[in-house]
Amino acid sequence: MERIAATCVLLTFCVGCLQVFALKSQLLTRVGRSPFSSNTPVSYQTLYFDQKIDHFGFLEDGTFKQRYLVADKHWRNPGGPILFYTGNEGDIAWFCNNTGFMWEVAEELGAMLVFAEHRYYGESLPFGKDSYSDSKHLNFLTSQQALADFAVLLQSLKSSVQGAQRSPVIAVGGSYGGMLSAWFRMKYPNIVVGALASSAPIWQFPGLVPCGDFYRTVTQDFAKSGPNCDVNIKKSWKAIDNVTSTASGLQWLSEEFSLCSPLKNKNDVFSFKGWLQETWVNLAMVDYPYTANFLQPLPAWPIQAVCKYLDLGSTASDRQLLHGVSQAARVYYNYTGSASCLNTSQTATSSLGFLGWYYQACTEMVMPMCTDGVHDMFEPEEWNFQAFSDGCSAMFGVRPRAEWAGVVYGGKDIASHSNIIFSNGALDPWSAGGVTHNITDSLLSIMIPEGAHHLDLRFSNDLDPPSVRAARALELSLFREWIRQAGKTAGTSSTS
Amino acid sequence: MERIAATCVLLTFCVGCLQVFALKSQLLTRVGRSPFSSNTPVSYQTLYFDQKIDHFGFLEDGTFKQRYLVADKHWRNPGGPILFYTGNEGDIAWFCNNTGFMWEVAEELGAMLVFAEHRYYGESLPFGKDSYSDSKHLNFLTSQQALADFAVLLQSLKSSVQGAQRSPVIAVGGSYGGMLSAWFRMKYPNIVVGALASSAPIWQFPGLVPCGDFYRTVTQDFAKSGPNCDVNIKKSWKAIDNVTSTASGLQWLSEEFSLCSPLKNKNDVFSFKGWLQETWVNLAMVDYPYTANFLQPLPAWPIQAVCKYLDLGSTASDRQLLHGVSQAARVYYNYTGSASCLNTSQTATSSLGFLGWYYQACTEMVMPMCTDGVHDMFEPEEWNFQAFSDGCSAMFGVRPRAEWAGVVYGGKDIASHSNIIFSNGALDPWSAGGVTHNITDSLLSIMIPEGAHHLDLRFSNDLDPPSVRAARALELSLFREWIRQAGKTAGTSSTS
């Protein structure tokens, strides 16, 4: 049991641990208008680029259609900048619709917006419906290949789009997309003049940050969002064990949570606890100050809403406590009131590609995490690389390489790079693996104390705290500075 | 015929165009002492590292033994620097023995020397004797994989060798090895604090430099090494055509050149001209001021020795001219007097791996070259990418990607990088594709007017011109500066 837990908990980026993945045909928007934006229209062209399946070998010479979205309404032609979203593990249209910051600064910068989909996600499937069929077809799903896709796509755009040849490009991304934007600047400074890496845990790799910080941050979010909130969640794990020790308790808990699939045995209980743990993590990620729909539709400051149900005294019985937990979980899973039952195999939007991210975690993206039940509100679980690796081998037939990301992306030795903003929200558990201090005067950290996961990249909102407004203003001014620098140093790049 | 010519001439780095490649068991030195060094002993340990066959995919999880040579006699432990030779397309022991500069500065710097063999060359064969058997086995022969090998090897050395954890590493390389050392610093600045890229034509890629400059430089070397030298070589091509238009002429020419395999037809004549062209190119590369044995045993300033046989008046007959050419060729192929006949399938040392380089030229290393017969002494030949690509497809079943090297290695947009010395000799045709001006105050060019191919990396010699002595002194002082910088900025790179 422990082995599976290690595999699951540590695979999460967009979380969704116990979910059975099914590749679904995504709802495709040819010319889309976001339901999320309020004032700024999100209108773009959907285009496809013939991308090499393998950039690092020449045996596989095939191509696939990489999807990218272009909005050039405000673009100053020729030479206006390009803001380039380095797509992460999901449908690019979803990221496009959730990255309001780019839409809101486009006019001011005279910028073209490009959102490039990450291979193996959304529509950009190198082998169509077979892309996930086995480790042979999955072999080209790496961040290195994705960065090369972005570089080749941009090189092509700059040479084929009239007026774009001298356009400076700024990479923008959030979460894993933020890691990609930072790495894109590090590895291809010839292609991008700078990068905004929002909530990008580029140090969540072996040996770089303490493995427990992620869950400590989650715990702190709950601790400060309501009386006894973290304490009661911590108690709930034992309460679940107690209650489910009998058949009637299993039935009671299943009914209390309106579970679509009632709990039947210890394995189910184990999975149920994993699902709850992910729920709390997800809430920490999306603890936004206003009503939003990112992973799920949620009220403003959703953890506060959750914690209202967990403000119980120390004398509450197990069942009273679990009733509170069930009400809390419904904040996340049934804010709209439309769920007839709670589905423990689903924790977030289907716009994210969980299986792809699992594969990435099982290869390059080895992100150690652990809990101790002392500094966090979770059951203790050590980081066990061997168990994790065995789980990956069983699931995909591949084994993770723990050291590789640190070698190829520099670990903490990144000071020789330049023009990268690392923005982090203090509420976001991923900030634990992020760059939260300035490294040099052009590798800057922006901390947003009231921010959750890449709040700065979202559309602005009347309820935004001043810190995120200031962050966006600083980001915009740095964009301007990079564009100015690029204009000064631009030379001819071709002589023949 | 044109197609083959395009394929051949443009594949040359170490040249050897028409050679039929055979993987030979290399003479292995466990603890070697160079026959080339005079005063400085070349004594090293030969070690092997279990290297991943594929760094960029996880399906192929096998390893191979990468050879590397270590000399730590002068190493200051702990913390003394490491000079790391980024091995190029050949036997690493041969590069080790021909890179006297590293041996000569080791004591002064308290440096450990490491020479890492490039995969698919020398002993470092990912699939043993099958490594070159087909495009499937060749699929992991790329510069990207080689750089990753170097990074992973160094990461391992630094963590396993007592006292090396904080040792700053400087990459050193010549020719393609110099390109690798520059790219190593660009792509892995976390691993190496700086790089000396000697005679590294990092701009010999499509769209970056005029394709004719390489052969113009060769021509200039001959023009200034003796009266009418370039003029008479230019005349020789027509003279060959004239003389070989008859059967008796074919026989005469074969005897005049003491060819091991007499010329029989037009195809043979075409190959013969290609062999001569390569001979002149090779001479330009190794036009050293003293007796040396790099590609072949040669006298001091070998082009001057060659040109003595080409100082013929304008009234010389075709046969008189070709007699001079034959004497000139013998300077290159029979300086020791031991050759009983001249072998047109061999142009240089067998320590270089020609087939591997051909494959690299047919994939990533697309280096356009052309001649016009006006600004150079060769028969006109345009750069024809399609013909080149077709030749590669026929030879290896792969096609080159013309744009890729420029995208992945930055083309001319490399100003954001730092701590790289690009040294070039003005006599060296590869300087045409090199960085011959300062780009920033830490991307420096050092020109050596009297230098041929990476003269600065060779053992010092009493006949060295002042320019190469000055170059080495500057290189050494920059090494010291980088080491000092690294000492200042060294921090902890691990927190967990």
Side-chain angles (χ1 to χ4, degrees):
Chain A
M1 293 294 277
E2 287 306 299
R3 191 179 63 71
I4 299 171
T7 308
C8 281
V9 172
L10 301 163
L11 280 167
T12 58
F13 200 160
C14 355
V15 201
C17 178
L18 301 164
Q19 176 167 349
V20 177
F21 183 91
L23 263 183
K24 296 171 186 168
S25 62
Q26 304 284 356
L27 189 69
L28 304 178
T29 317
R30 293 289 144 170
V31 174
R33 183 169 283 269
S34 167
F36 306 104
S37 64
S38 42
N39 301 318
T40 309
V42 173
S43 175
Y44 52 79
Q45 269 193 295
T46 300
L47 300 166
Y48 297 85
F49 180 73
D50 286 326
Q51 191 62 262
K52 289 276 181 215
I53 290 173
D54 189 6
H55 294 286
F56 301 101
F58 291 76
L59 180 65
E60 169 58 74
D61 201 37
T63 61
F64 69 98
K65 299 281 179 196
Q66 181 181 19
R67 179 166 57 151
Y68 64 104
L69 317 177
V70 174
D72 58 5
K73 180 179 167 192
H74 298 297
W75 187 47
R76 191 180 65 248
N77 185 336
I82 297 171
L83 300 186
F84 184 88
Y85 189 89
T86 48
N88 31 324
E89 73 285 22
D91 184 322
I92 192 63
W94 183 68
F95 293 114
C96 173
N97 287 328
N98 276 283
T99 310
F101 176 68
M102 285 171 64
W103 292 94
E104 291 181 346
V105 301
E107 185 167 6
E108 197 169 346
L109 293 173
M112 182 195 301
L113 305 184
V114 179
F115 297 83
E117 193 158 68
H118 192 298
R119 54 169 57 204
Y120 286 85
Y121 296 99
E123 286 185 55
S124 300
L125 301 173
F127 301 100
K129 64 179 174 43
D130 294 330
S131 299
Y132 281 85
S133 58
D134 55 32
S135 60
K136 192 176 159 213
H137 288 87
L138 277 163
N139 193 44
F140 308 99
L141 171 50
T142 68
S143 60
Q144 296 274 306
Q145 298 275 10
L147 294 176
D149 288 343
F150 299 150
V152 169
L153 170 60
L154 271 166
Q155 189 83 346
S156 168
L157 288 181
K158 291 187 75 168
S159 63
S160 64
V161 174
Q162 188 79 29
Q165 206 190 340
R166 288 167 184 276
S167 291
V169 183
I170 293 172
V172 177
S175 195
Y176 168 51
M179 298 163 78
L180 290 170
S181 75
W183 295 336
F184 198 24
R185 169 63 186 168
M186 293 181 197
K187 293 293 184 185
Y188 296 88
N190 50 312
I191 308 278
V192 286
V193 302
L196 169 56
S198 178
S199 296
I202 64 162
W203 288 344
Q204 191 69 49
F205 290 104
L208 299 179
V209 294
C211 61
D213 283 3
F214 180 91
Y215 283 104
R216 286 192 197 191
T217 309
V218 176
T219 302
Q220 285 157 12
D221 291 352
F222 282 79
K224 63 191 170 196
S225 295
N228 299 314
C229 195
D230 60 325
V231 175
N232 281 322
I233 289 176
K234 190 184 288 188
K235 281 186 186 167
S236 70
W237 312 114
K238 183 83 178 89
I240 293 168
D241 289 342
N242 292 341
V243 165
T244 57
S245 64
T246 65
S248 64
L250 278 168
Q251 192 186 338
W252 176 85
L253 193 67
S254 302
E255 285 168 8
E256 176 60 44
F257 276 80
S258 306
L259 298 181
C260 303
S261 303
L263 307 175
K264 294 201 183 71
N265 52 41
K266 283 205 166 183
N267 268 347
D268 290 351
V269 173
F270 181 79
S271 298
F272 172 77
K273 290 198 284 189
W275 170 75
L276 270 184
Q277 180 162 333
E278 274 186 41
T279 305
W280 310 140
V281 167
N282 284 6
L283 277 159
M285 285 170 62
V286 296
D287 195 24
Y288 297 129
Y290 47 81
T291 303
N293 179 358
F294 185 58
L295 301 177
Q296 294 274 9
L298 287 173
W301 296 119
I303 298 183
Q304 288 181 18
V306 158
C307 287
K308 283 193 184 123
Y309 297 106
L310 293 165
D311 183 8
L312 306 168
S314 58
T315 58
S317 70
D318 285 345
R319 292 198 179 202
Q320 284 172 323
L321 177 59
L322 294 177
H323 173 72
V325 170
S326 125
Q327 296 302 103
R330 283 169 211 276
V331 171
Y332 184 76
Y333 290 108
N334 198 17
Y335 179 60
T336 60
S338 61
S340 60
C341 60
L342 302 197
N343 178 359
T344 55
S345 67
Q346 173 82 36
T347 60
T349 172
S350 64
S351 292
L352 288 166
F354 295 103
L355 188 59
W357 182 254
Y358 289 2
Y359 178 82
Q360 292 196 258
C362 272
T363 48
E364 293 174 306
M365 299 293 145
V366 178
M367 299 184 161
M369 288 186 190
C370 59
T371 49
D372 62 10
V374 178
H375 301 90
D376 56 63
M377 64 188 189
F378 300 99
E379 293 188 290
E381 183 164 9
E382 290 182 353
W383 165 244
N384 182 338
F385 177 73
Q386 191 54 52
F388 175 69
S389 177
D390 291 344
C392 291
S393 178
M395 199 188 301
F396 294 112
V398 296
R399 290 196 178 269
R401 297 178 188 165
E403 308 298 327
W404 175 237
V407 171
V408 75
Y409 295 124
K412 293 216 163 169
D413 298 324
I414 58 173
S416 69
H417 300 288
S418 61
N419 291 5
I420 306 175
I421 304 166
F422 297 97
S423 64
N424 279 286
L427 303 180
D428 179 17
W430 292 108
S431 67
V435 179
T436 53
H437 60 271
N438 292 347
I439 294 179
T440 66
D441 60 5
S442 81
L443 288 187
L444 299 170
S445 159
I446 297 179
M447 280 306 298
I448 305 164
E450 302 89 351
H453 205 43
H454 48 64
L455 176 62
D456 52 337
L457 291 192
R458 297 180 60 78
F459 280 101
S460 57
N461 188 292
D462 290 344
L463 296 173
D464 276 330
S467 61
V468 76
R469 295 172 196 265
R472 292 190 187 119
L474 179 52
E475 287 159 7
L476 181 59
S477 74
L478 287 163
F479 284 10
R480 287 186 186 289
E481 173 60 24
W482 297 339
I483 293 163
R484 205 162 30 230
Q485 277 174 14
K488 271 190 208 160
T489 59
T492 49
S493 62
S494 174
T495 62
S496 72
Chain B
M1 295 296 276
E2 288 306 299
R3 189 181 62 71
I4 300 171
T7 307
C8 282
V9 172
L10 301 162
L11 281 167
T12 59
F13 201 160
C14 355
V15 199
C17 179
L18 301 165
Q19 176 167 348
V20 177
F21 183 91
L23 264 182
K24 296 172 187 169
S25 63
Q26 305 282 356
L27 189 70
L28 303 179
T29 316
R30 292 289 143 171
V31 174
R33 184 170 281 269
S34 167
F36 306 104
S37 63
S38 43
N39 301 318
T40 309
V42 171
S43 176
Y44 51 78
Q45 269 193 292
T46 300
L47 300 166
Y48 296 85
F49 180 72
D50 286 325
Q51 191 62 264
K52 290 275 181 216
I53 290 172
D54 189 5
H55 294 286
F56 301 102
F58 291 75
L59 180 64
E60 170 58 73
D61 202 37
T63 61
F64 69 99
K65 299 280 179 196
Q66 180 181 20
R67 179 167 56 153
Y68 64 105
L69 316 179
V70 175
D72 58 6
K73 181 181 166 189
H74 298 298
W75 187 46
R76 192 179 65 247
N77 186 337
I82 296 171
L83 300 187
F84 184 89
Y85 189 89
T86 50
N88 31 324
E89 73 285 21
D91 183 324
I92 193 62
W94 183 69
F95 292 115
C96 172
N97 287 327
N98 277 282
T99 310
F101 176 67
M102 286 171 64
W103 293 95
E104 292 181 346
V105 300
E107 184 168 4
E108 199 170 342
L109 293 173
M112 183 196 300
L113 305 184
V114 179
F115 297 83
E117 193 159 66
H118 192 298
R119 53 169 57 207
Y120 286 85
Y121 296 99
E123 286 185 56
S124 301
L125 301 173
F127 301 101
K129 63 181 175 40
D130 295 330
S131 299
Y132 281 85
S133 59
D134 55 31
S135 61
K136 193 176 157 214
H137 288 88
L138 278 163
N139 193 43
F140 308 98
L141 171 51
T142 69
S143 60
Q144 297 274 304
Q145 297 276 11
L147 294 175
D149 289 341
F150 298 150
V152 169
L153 169 60
L154 271 166
Q155 189 84 347
S156 168
L157 288 182
K158 291 186 73 168
S159 62
S160 64
V161 175
Q162 189 78 29
Q165 207 191 338
R166 289 168 183 277
S167 290
V169 184
I170 294 172
V172 177
S175 193
Y176 168 51
M179 299 164 78
L180 290 170
S181 74
W183 294 337
F184 197 25
R185 169 63 185 169
M186 293 181 194
K187 294 294 184 186
Y188 296 88
N190 50 312
I191 308 278
V192 286
V193 301
L196 169 56
S198 177
S199 296
I202 63 163
W203 288 344
Q204 191 69 48
F205 291 104
L208 299 179
V209 294
C211 61
D213 283 1
F214 180 91
Y215 283 104
R216 287 192 197 190
T217 308
V218 176
T219 303
Q220 285 157 13
D221 290 351
F222 283 79
K224 61 190 171 196
S225 296
N228 299 314
C229 195
D230 60 324
V231 174
N232 281 322
I233 290 176
K234 189 185 287 187
K235 279 184 184 169
S236 71
W237 313 113
K238 182 85 178 86
I240 292 168
D241 289 342
N242 292 341
V243 165
T244 59
S245 64
T246 65
S248 64
L250 277 170
Q251 191 185 338
W252 177 84
L253 194 67
S254 302
E255 285 167 8
E256 176 61 43
F257 276 80
S258 307
L259 298 182
C260 304
S261 301
L263 307 175
K264 294 202 184 68
N265 52 41
K266 284 205 166 183
N267 268 348
D268 290 349
V269 172
F270 180 80
S271 298
F272 173 78
K273 290 198 285 188
W275 170 76
L276 270 183
Q277 180 162 332
E278 275 185 42
T279 304
W280 310 140
V281 168
N282 283 8
L283 277 159
M285 284 169 64
V286 295
D287 195 22
Y288 297 129
Y290 47 81
T291 303
N293 179 358
F294 184 57
L295 301 177
Q296 294 274 9
L298 287 173
W301 295 119
I303 299 184
Q304 288 182 17
V306 157
C307 286
K308 283 194 185 122
Y309 297 106
L310 294 164
D311 182 9
L312 306 168
S314 58
T315 58
S317 70
D318 285 345
R319 292 198 178 200
Q320 284 172 324
L321 176 59
L322 294 178
H323 173 71
V325 170
S326 124
Q327 296 302 103
R330 282 169 212 273
V331 170
Y332 183 76
Y333 289 107
N334 198 17
Y335 178 58
T336 60
S338 62
S340 59
C341 61
L342 301 197
N343 178 0
T344 56
S345 67
Q346 173 82 35
T347 60
T349 172
S350 64
S351 292
L352 287 166
F354 296 103
L355 188 59
W357 182 253
Y358 290 2
Y359 178 83
Q360 292 196 257
C362 271
T363 50
E364 295 174 305
M365 300 293 144
V366 179
M367 299 187 162
M369 288 187 190
C370 59
T371 49
D372 63 10
V374 177
H375 301 91
D376 56 63
M377 63 188 191
F378 300 98
E379 292 189 291
E381 182 163 11
E382 291 182 353
W383 165 243
N384 182 337
F385 177 73
Q386 191 54 52
F388 175 69
S389 177
D390 291 345
C392 291
S393 178
M395 199 188 303
F396 294 111
V398 296
R399 288 194 179 271
R401 297 176 187 166
E403 308 298 327
W404 174 237
V407 172
V408 76
Y409 295 124
K412 293 217 164 171
D413 298 324
I414 58 173
S416 69
H417 301 290
S418 60
N419 292 6
I420 306 175
I421 304 165
F422 297 97
S423 63
N424 279 286
L427 304 179
D428 179 19
W430 291 107
S431 67
V435 179
T436 53
H437 60 270
N438 292 347
I439 294 179
T440 66
D441 59 6
S442 80
L443 288 186
L444 298 171
S445 159
I446 297 180
M447 281 306 298
I448 304 164
E450 301 89 350
H453 204 42
H454 48 64
L455 176 61
D456 52 338
L457 290 192
R458 298 180 60 78
F459 280 101
S460 58
N461 188 292
D462 290 344
L463 295 173
D464 276 331
S467 61
V468 77
R469 295 171 194 266
R472 292 190 188 120
L474 181 51
E475 287 158 7
L476 181 59
S477 74
L478 288 162
F479 283 11
R480 289 185 184 289
E481 173 61 24
W482 296 341
I483 293 164
R484 207 164 28 233
Q485 277 174 15
K488 271 190 208 162
T489 59
T492 49
S493 62
S494 174
T495 62
S496 73

PDB file of all heavy atoms in Angstrom, chain B residues 3 383-392 399-400:
ATOM      1  N   ARG B   3      26.509  15.253 -57.951  1.00  0.00           N
ATOM      2  CA  ARG B   3      25.866  14.941 -56.680  1.00  0.00           C
ATOM      3  C   ARG B   3      26.862  14.363 -55.675  1.00  0.00           C
ATOM      4  O   ARG B   3      26.925  14.779 -54.520  1.00  0.00           O
ATOM      5  CB  ARG B   3      24.718  13.950 -56.922  1.00  0.00           C
ATOM      6  CG  ARG B   3      23.847  13.737 -55.708  1.00  0.00           C
ATOM      7  CD  ARG B   3      22.748  12.732 -56.001  1.00  0.00           C
ATOM      8  NE  ARG B   3      23.266  11.431 -56.341  1.00  0.00           N
ATOM      9  CZ  ARG B   3      23.840  10.608 -55.485  1.00  0.00           C
ATOM     10  NH1 ARG B   3      23.999  10.962 -54.233  1.00  0.00           N
ATOM     11  NH2 ARG B   3      24.274   9.432 -55.875  1.00  0.00           N
ATOM     12  N   TRP B 383      27.004  25.255 -53.578  1.00  0.00           N
ATOM     13  CA  TRP B 383      26.416  24.516 -52.458  1.00  0.00           C
ATOM     14  C   TRP B 383      25.027  24.076 -52.886  1.00  0.00           C
ATOM     15  O   TRP B 383      24.203  24.888 -53.303  1.00  0.00           O
ATOM     16  CB  TRP B 383      26.344  25.416 -51.227  1.00  0.00           C
ATOM     17  CG  TRP B 383      25.440  24.908 -50.126  1.00  0.00           C
ATOM     18  CD1 TRP B 383      24.320  25.529 -49.662  1.00  0.00           C
ATOM     19  CD2 TRP B 383      25.595  23.717 -49.359  1.00  0.00           C
ATOM     20  NE1 TRP B 383      23.767  24.795 -48.642  1.00  0.00           N
ATOM     21  CE2 TRP B 383      24.527  23.665 -48.428  1.00  0.00           C
ATOM     22  CE3 TRP B 383      26.525  22.676 -49.354  1.00  0.00           C
ATOM     23  CZ2 TRP B 383      24.365  22.626 -47.518  1.00  0.00           C
ATOM     24  CZ3 TRP B 383      26.356  21.641 -48.446  1.00  0.00           C
ATOM     25  CH2 TRP B 383      25.290  21.621 -47.539  1.00  0.00           C
ATOM     26  N   ASN B 384      24.785  22.775 -52.819  1.00  0.00           N
ATOM     27  CA  ASN B 384      23.509  22.234 -53.275  1.00  0.00           C
ATOM     28  C   ASN B 384      22.951  21.353 -52.155  1.00  0.00           C
ATOM     29  O   ASN B 384      23.294  20.178 -52.028  1.00  0.00           O
ATOM     30  CB  ASN B 384      23.736  21.425 -54.560  1.00  0.00           C
ATOM     31  CG  ASN B 384      22.433  20.861 -55.111  1.00  0.00           C
ATOM     32  OD1 ASN B 384      21.451  20.692 -54.387  1.00  0.00           O
ATOM     33  ND2 ASN B 384      22.422  20.568 -56.396  1.00  0.00           N
ATOM     34  N   PHE B 385      22.097  21.949 -51.353  1.00  0.00           N
ATOM     35  CA  PHE B 385      21.605  21.231 -50.180  1.00  0.00           C
ATOM     36  C   PHE B 385      20.829  19.987 -50.563  1.00  0.00           C
ATOM     37  O   PHE B 385      20.963  18.931 -49.933  1.00  0.00           O
ATOM     38  CB  PHE B 385      20.746  22.131 -49.289  1.00  0.00           C
ATOM     39  CG  PHE B 385      20.174  21.385 -48.112  1.00  0.00           C
ATOM     40  CD1 PHE B 385      20.984  21.014 -47.048  1.00  0.00           C
ATOM     41  CD2 PHE B 385      18.833  21.017 -48.075  1.00  0.00           C
ATOM     42  CE1 PHE B 385      20.479  20.293 -45.968  1.00  0.00           C
ATOM     43  CE2 PHE B 385      18.322  20.289 -46.992  1.00  0.00           C
ATOM     44  CZ  PHE B 385      19.145  19.940 -45.944  1.00  0.00           C
ATOM     45  N   GLN B 386      20.020  20.110 -51.610  1.00  0.00           N
ATOM     46  CA  GLN B 386      19.194  18.967 -51.981  1.00  0.00           C
ATOM     47  C   GLN B 386      20.055  17.767 -52.379  1.00  0.00           C
ATOM     48  O   GLN B 386      19.799  16.638 -51.964  1.00  0.00           O
ATOM     49  CB  GLN B 386      18.231  19.345 -53.107  1.00  0.00           C
ATOM     50  CG  GLN B 386      17.158  18.283 -53.368  1.00  0.00           C
ATOM     51  CD  GLN B 386      16.367  17.915 -52.108  1.00  0.00           C
ATOM     52  OE1 GLN B 386      15.850  18.793 -51.413  1.00  0.00           O
ATOM     53  NE2 GLN B 386      16.314  16.623 -51.775  1.00  0.00           N
ATOM     54  N   ALA B 387      21.083  18.049 -53.172  1.00  0.00           N
ATOM     55  CA  ALA B 387      21.974  16.968 -53.592  1.00  0.00           C
ATOM     56  C   ALA B 387      22.679  16.370 -52.380  1.00  0.00           C
ATOM     57  O   ALA B 387      22.830  15.146 -52.257  1.00  0.00           O
ATOM     58  CB  ALA B 387      23.001  17.498 -54.587  1.00  0.00           C
ATOM     59  N   PHE B 388      23.086  17.239 -51.496  1.00  0.00           N
ATOM     60  CA  PHE B 388      23.751  16.794 -50.269  1.00  0.00           C
ATOM     61  C   PHE B 388      22.817  15.890 -49.468  1.00  0.00           C
ATOM     62  O   PHE B 388      23.191  14.801 -49.030  1.00  0.00           O
ATOM     63  CB  PHE B 388      24.157  18.032 -49.469  1.00  0.00           C
ATOM     64  CG  PHE B 388      24.737  17.738 -48.122  1.00  0.00           C
ATOM     65  CD1 PHE B 388      25.981  17.140 -48.012  1.00  0.00           C
ATOM     66  CD2 PHE B 388      24.044  18.076 -46.969  1.00  0.00           C
ATOM     67  CE1 PHE B 388      26.518  16.875 -46.757  1.00  0.00           C
ATOM     68  CE2 PHE B 388      24.570  17.817 -45.726  1.00  0.00           C
ATOM     69  CZ  PHE B 388      25.815  17.206 -45.609  1.00  0.00           C
ATOM     70  N   SER B 389      21.590  16.361 -49.315  1.00  0.00           N
ATOM     71  CA  SER B 389      20.597  15.600 -48.553  1.00  0.00           C
ATOM     72  C   SER B 389      20.338  14.241 -49.199  1.00  0.00           C
ATOM     73  O   SER B 389      20.242  13.215 -48.517  1.00  0.00           O
ATOM     74  CB  SER B 389      19.310  16.418 -48.451  1.00  0.00           C
ATOM     75  OG  SER B 389      18.311  15.680 -47.790  1.00  0.00           O
ATOM     76  N   ASP B 390      20.250  14.226 -50.521  1.00  0.00           N
ATOM     77  CA  ASP B 390      20.021  12.961 -51.229  1.00  0.00           C
ATOM     78  C   ASP B 390      21.193  12.003 -51.015  1.00  0.00           C
ATOM     79  O   ASP B 390      20.995  10.795 -50.845  1.00  0.00           O
ATOM     80  CB  ASP B 390      19.815  13.217 -52.725  1.00  0.00           C
ATOM     81  CG  ASP B 390      18.501  13.938 -53.012  1.00  0.00           C
ATOM     82  OD1 ASP B 390      17.632  13.978 -52.108  1.00  0.00           O
ATOM     83  OD2 ASP B 390      18.354  14.484 -54.119  1.00  0.00           O
ATOM     84  N   GLY B 391      22.385  12.550 -51.018  1.00  0.00           N
ATOM     85  CA  GLY B 391      23.568  11.723 -50.767  1.00  0.00           C
ATOM     86  C   GLY B 391      23.524  11.112 -49.372  1.00  0.00           C
ATOM     87  O   GLY B 391      23.835   9.934 -49.176  1.00  0.00           O
ATOM     88  N   CYS B 392      23.103  11.918 -48.410  1.00  0.00           N
ATOM     89  CA  CYS B 392      23.006  11.426 -47.027  1.00  0.00           C
ATOM     90  C   CYS B 392      21.958  10.335 -46.914  1.00  0.00           C
ATOM     91  O   CYS B 392      22.147   9.334 -46.217  1.00  0.00           O
ATOM     92  CB  CYS B 392      22.650  12.576 -46.089  1.00  0.00           C
ATOM     93  SG  CYS B 392      23.984  13.770 -45.900  1.00  0.00           S
ATOM     94  N   ARG B 399      18.209  12.188 -43.317  1.00  0.00           N
ATOM     95  CA  ARG B 399      18.379  13.458 -44.028  1.00  0.00           C
ATOM     96  C   ARG B 399      18.822  14.533 -43.040  1.00  0.00           C
ATOM     97  O   ARG B 399      18.379  14.547 -41.894  1.00  0.00           O
ATOM     98  CB  ARG B 399      17.073  13.874 -44.705  1.00  0.00           C
ATOM     99  CG  ARG B 399      16.758  13.001 -45.903  1.00  0.00           C
ATOM    100  CD  ARG B 399      15.673  13.575 -46.792  1.00  0.00           C
ATOM    101  NE  ARG B 399      15.443  12.701 -47.938  1.00  0.00           N
ATOM    102  CZ  ARG B 399      16.104  12.795 -49.097  1.00  0.00           C
ATOM    103  NH1 ARG B 399      17.028  13.727 -49.267  1.00  0.00           N
ATOM    104  NH2 ARG B 399      15.835  11.959 -50.083  1.00  0.00           N
ATOM    105  N   PRO B 400      19.702  15.413 -43.497  1.00  0.00           N
ATOM    106  CA  PRO B 400      20.168  16.495 -42.624  1.00  0.00           C
ATOM    107  C   PRO B 400      19.070  17.517 -42.365  1.00  0.00           C
ATOM    108  O   PRO B 400      18.146  17.669 -43.165  1.00  0.00           O
ATOM    109  CB  PRO B 400      21.299  17.128 -43.434  1.00  0.00           C
ATOM    110  CG  PRO B 400      21.003  16.788 -44.854  1.00  0.00           C
ATOM    111  CD  PRO B 400      20.298  15.473 -44.849  1.00  0.00           C
TER     112      PRO B 400
END
